[in-house]
Amino acid sequence: MSRIVIVSNRTPGKGPAAGGLAVALRKVLGNREGFWFGWSGKLTEQPQAEARIEDIDGLTVAQVDLTREDHHAYYAGFSNSILWPSFHLRLDLATIESYWYEGYRRVNAQFAKALMPLLRPDDIIWVHDYHLIPLASELRNLGARNRIGFYLHIPFPTADALYAIPHHAELMRDVSRYDLVGFQAQRDVAAFTDFAQHQAPSTFGARAIEAIDFSRTDVAAFPIGSDPEAFSRLAASPAAKKMIHRMRRSLGDQALILGVDRLDYSKGLPQRVEAYEKLLANNPRLRRNVHLLQVAPPSRDTIKEYQETSDTLDAICGRVMGHFSEPDWSPLTYVKRAYGQPSLAGLYRMARVGLVTPLRDGMNLVAHEYVASQDPADPGVLVLSRFAGAAEIFPEALLVNPFDTDETSEALRMALDMPLEERKERWQGLMAAARTHNVDDWALRFLDRLAPGTADAGSHSRDIIYLDSVA
Ligand code: ADQ
């Protein structure tokens, strides 16, 4: 049977995972032959030509170190200061430095060079996310004829946002070198198809370019999910119960509204706290009866826009606290740290409302985890942004426009007032969708479409793989 080679920005390390990609992928390689390739997390003086192969908790990992300059241009630069904001339609937060693109391509070329000698002709290669768009091109230029698939964990941009990205035509040509391109949602497939069908040379500006031929690239939506059964079990575990007990002791009968996110401007955190502020302003009866807990560990904090988001959030939380707190009551708690999954599951379970309101999100696994952690006899309510990929599979959530803080505030009120019967009914629909879209089936579906007949799960024993941070 063909081996599976997973390629992502970061290779797995030890310790708890913080990013969604890490959480999802740690499961894939445990039950099939193959290895994981990517950056080691280490910076060196000289670019490294050969991969180092290691066994990490039973998983074969091949990794390369990067130079500080290349890593900066590739990761904080082109990937996270140009591609990430543009793909999330935040061109106002993009910073364009032209030399970053060279670093981005150099790292992709270095990855290809180091990966090529490790490949067998029938290996199936699965490349993850926006850091590695050019990888198939680089591998093909070195002679690779393998099946190569690409999965984009973030949304695909609208055409005008795409055109604002330097070298977008070259990047889209790179996309056409994959056999399969997977997106989170139909929305993304539609945006991509719109681009692929309407790309006329004139739309790229004055200089005519050759139209890109996508006819050999299969494109489809593969909505990612969580492991709902595991979260459901975790939510009833002793560690989760301990967390619930701790929270109950401090909250008493107050209803908990919970937000859990990486601290990222795409997650709509300031708008979320503003919506909560309006809830308290418009519904005095809720004061002392409700509490917002926002858990948001910092991420990518060397990038200016992330520091600014953090400052904005500090200011808004301070404003709401100053306005509504009383000596013996505080309306919100804001925690800037990551928690282990059992504690998170406990928090999810005790929260009457899961508040998941990104301005734009590929999927959003927190929504899945919240649903899976509920008590079937007394479930909470998911308030979900229409602009998360998750909105396509969770129509039973209270769907909101996160930019409209009045609407979000009203949805919060509805969620808090929702009778048990309606909560149960909505939750049953949500849980059925979370089960259908579980992470194991997601991986199998992608691999089966990339190389039919090869995604035979369960033939090898499954190991648990820990990943530091991939996102
Ligand atoms: P992220 O943007 O990182 O992922 P998300 O899908 O919500 O977003 O995943 C977050 C993951 O990190 C969840 O599994 C969550 O449990 C965990 N996490 C978040 N805050 C945490 C905390 N305080 N403590 C511990 N764990 C925490 C990207 C895309 C998403 C897409 C995923 C997967 O941006 O749209 O859903 O990849 O494809």
Side-chain angles (χ1 to χ4, degrees):
M1 183 184 272
S2 305
R3 300 186 307 175
I4 306 289
V5 178
I6 288 183
V7 189
S8 66
N9 166 48
R10 281 294 305 272
T11 50
K14 289 177 194 276
L21 174 54
V23 175
L25 283 186
R26 65 161 73 170
K27 308 194 73 186
V28 174
L29 270 183
N31 52 6
R32 63 200 73 209
E33 233 194 298
F35 63 96
W36 193 319
F37 182 95
W39 177 48
S40 61
K42 294 198 182 109
L43 299 172
T44 47
E45 292 294 312
Q46 292 300 320
Q48 206 193 350
E50 279 177 24
R52 220 174 27 250
I53 299 178
E54 267 181 61
D55 186 288
I56 298 182
D57 296 331
L59 171 77
T60 309
V61 174
Q63 43 195 358
V64 289
D65 305 336
L66 296 175
T67 67
R68 185 174 297 280
E69 295 71 29
D70 278 356
H71 179 257
H72 177 74
Y74 147 83
Y75 184 77
F78 198 77
S79 295
N80 283 316
S81 296
I82 298 181
L83 294 179
W84 176 275
S86 309
F87 279 41
H88 286 87
L89 306 187
R90 292 305 302 270
L91 293 172
D92 57 320
L93 299 180
T95 308
I96 296 181
E97 292 282 357
S98 50
Y99 74 92
W100 285 343
Y101 184 63
E102 291 152 31
Y104 179 75
R105 288 222 78 97
R106 237 184 350 261
V107 169
N108 273 272
Q110 183 186 346
F111 267 34
K113 253 199 204 134
L115 177 56
M116 199 60 199
L118 308 179
L119 292 178
R120 295 181 194 158
D122 65 341
D123 283 349
I124 294 156
I125 306 170
W126 187 3
V127 178
H128 288 264
D129 235 359
Y130 56 101
H131 317 84
L132 299 174
I133 294 171
L135 192 67
S137 283
E138 299 292 349
L139 285 168
R140 302 247 182 260
N141 293 345
L142 295 175
R145 301 173 67 91
N146 306 59
R147 297 285 294 170
I148 312 181
F150 178 76
Y151 189 78
L152 185 69
H153 289 258
I154 65 175
F156 191 79
T158 55
D160 46 358
L162 185 63
Y163 296 155
I165 298 171
H167 309 281
H168 58 266
E170 225 168 301
L171 291 169
M172 289 303 108
R173 204 175 295 286
D174 290 330
V175 170
S176 76
R177 309 292 298 273
Y178 286 96
D179 296 299
L180 172 63
V181 173
F183 294 110
Q184 295 274 22
Q186 291 302 339
R187 157 198 77 181
D188 306 308
V189 174
F192 178 81
T193 310
D194 182 49
F195 167 80
Q197 286 174 352
H198 295 109
Q199 42 150 351
S202 61
T203 55
F204 289 116
R207 203 157 51 91
I209 64 146
E210 215 182 302
I212 302 165
D213 176 8
F214 288 105
S215 62
R216 283 183 302 275
T217 306
D218 185 14
V219 173
F222 300 87
I224 202 172
S226 66
D227 183 342
E229 308 309 334
F231 263 92
S232 173
R233 274 194 308 275
L234 267 183
S237 67
K241 284 188 178 144
K242 200 167 146 198
M243 176 55 101
I244 294 173
H245 182 69
R246 228 173 106 187
M247 291 293 291
R248 271 285 154 244
R249 228 178 25 212
S250 98
L251 288 185
D253 290 338
Q254 293 176 69
L256 179 67
I257 300 174
L258 176 68
V260 174
D261 309 77
R262 269 187 314 104
L263 185 40
D264 190 297
Y265 49 76
S266 66
K267 304 293 182 185
L269 299 174
Q271 290 85 347
R272 186 180 303 178
V273 179
E274 254 173 49
Y276 180 64
E277 183 178 30
K278 286 186 176 173
L279 177 79
L280 295 178
N282 297 337
N283 301 277
R285 70 180 167 95
L286 290 176
R287 297 178 205 163
R288 292 183 161 274
N289 289 316
V290 69
H291 191 87
L292 171 68
L293 170 61
Q294 177 61 55
V295 183
S299 71
R300 304 175 195 163
D301 50 4
T302 59
I303 299 173
K304 182 173 86 345
E305 286 71 20
Y306 283 77
Q307 292 159 6
E308 286 170 1
T309 304
S310 175
D311 293 346
T312 308
L313 189 58
D314 289 353
I316 292 180
C317 288
R319 185 177 79 204
V320 176
M321 303 260 277
H323 191 87
F324 292 103
S325 290
E326 293 180 38
D328 60 344
W329 180 68
S330 150
L332 68 83
T333 307
Y334 170 31
V335 188
K336 283 189 177 178
R337 53 162 285 197
Y339 285 91
Q341 286 191 342
S343 302
L344 272 190
L347 289 173
Y348 289 142
R349 189 165 184 120
M350 82 161 286
R352 172 46 52 89
V353 184
L355 187 52
V356 182
T357 52
L359 305 180
R360 195 164 158 83
D361 216 331
M363 171 54 63
N364 195 297
L365 290 176
V366 170
H368 284 251
E369 295 165 3
Y370 176 74
V371 167
S373 303
Q374 295 309 299
D375 175 357
D378 185 20
V381 181
L382 177 64
V383 174
L384 176 64
S385 163
R386 291 176 200 287
F387 307 127
E392 283 188 15
I393 61 166
F394 287 150
E396 294 87 356
L398 293 183
L399 295 177
V400 297
N401 169 1
F403 296 94
D404 183 346
T405 51
D406 285 320
E407 192 189 17
T408 307
S409 156
E410 179 53 16
L412 279 173
R413 192 204 54 75
M414 281 172 64
L416 291 165
D417 288 344
M418 192 178 286
L420 177 63
E421 274 318 303
E422 184 179 350
R423 281 192 274 128
K424 279 200 211 161
E425 208 171 295
R426 285 178 182 270
W427 176 78
Q428 280 157 9
L430 294 169
M431 189 60 182
R435 287 196 171 112
T436 304
H437 296 285
N438 71 78
V439 69
D440 295 329
D441 290 350
W442 164 77
L444 293 182
R445 276 200 285 265
F446 185 91
L447 289 169
D448 198 49
R449 179 90 167 234
L450 176 59
T454 55
D456 179 16
S459 52
H460 300 268
S461 67
R462 178 173 294 192
D463 296 314
I464 295 179
I465 298 144
Y466 295 100
L467 196 60
D468 272 328
S469 166
V470 172

